[in-house]
Amino acid sequence: MRNFINEFKDFIMRGNVMDLAVAFIMGAAFQTVVKSVVDDLIMPLIGIITGSISFSSIVWHVGSADIKVGSFIGTLITFLLTSFAVFLILKAIRKAQSMAKKQDEEEEIAPETELVVLQEIRDALAEKKD
């Protein structure tokens, strides 16, 4: 049982799991902000354009069921804005990673120092003697 607890502790403390937990919490908070932008800013503007029609009040009555089309449209807009924002964030992260990778590759190709050049000359002269 103690081994199981230690394995679980190692799993939880691994960087990827902690990063995932932080990302999940940040995503939930970000979703709240986007929902507020859609509900409090975008939808009223759309209401002004459409003649004061509130999307939340658009409901289809089919028999005894109420199909809330307006609420679905608001949720769809929230999803699209969230997806677009995540896309932009990931694109920026990938670009930063590729720039860092390129910089690392450039550092690996270090310019030859005088010592390296002198050693190459020494080796070339040693080969000529033989």
Side-chain angles (χ1 to χ4, degrees), residues 85-96:
V86 169
F87 168 75
L88 292 177
I89 291 168
L90 288 175
K91 187 172 180 171
I93 289 171
R94 286 185 188 130
K95 186 170 184 172

Side-chain angles (χ1 to χ4, degrees), residues 106-127:
E106 289 175 359
E107 288 176 2
E108 287 177 9
I109 306 172
E112 293 186 26
T113 62
E114 289 181 31
L115 179 62
V116 173
V117 173
L118 290 173
Q119 287 173 343
E120 288 175 359
I121 293 171
R122 179 198 63 201
D123 294 341
L125 289 174
E127 287 177 13

Side-chain angles (χ1 to χ4, degrees), residues 16-40:
N16 292 340
V17 174
M18 297 303 282
D19 291 344
L20 181 61
V22 170
F24 182 77
I25 293 167
M26 292 297 293
F30 183 70
Q31 180 70 19
T32 304
V33 170
V34 172
K35 183 166 178 32
S36 176
V37 167
V38 170
D39 292 344
D40 301 332

Side-chain angles (χ1 to χ4, degrees), residues 62-123:
V62 179
S64 63
D66 292 336
I67 300 172
K68 299 177 180 177
V69 176
S71 177
F72 173 73
I73 292 171
T75 304
L76 184 62
I77 292 172
T78 301
F79 170 75
L80 292 174
L81 285 176
T82 303
S83 300
F84 184 68
V86 169
F87 168 75
L88 292 177
I89 291 168
L90 288 175
K91 187 172 180 171
I93 289 171
R94 286 185 188 130
K95 186 170 184 172
Q97 287 174 339
S98 70
M99 289 174 64
K101 185 177 179 182
K102 184 186 281 187
Q103 186 177 6
D104 289 345
E105 288 173 357
E106 289 175 359
E107 288 176 2
E108 287 177 9
I109 306 172
E112 293 186 26
T113 62
E114 289 181 31
L115 179 62
V116 173
V117 173
L118 290 173
Q119 287 173 343
E120 288 175 359
I121 293 171
R122 179 198 63 201
D123 294 341

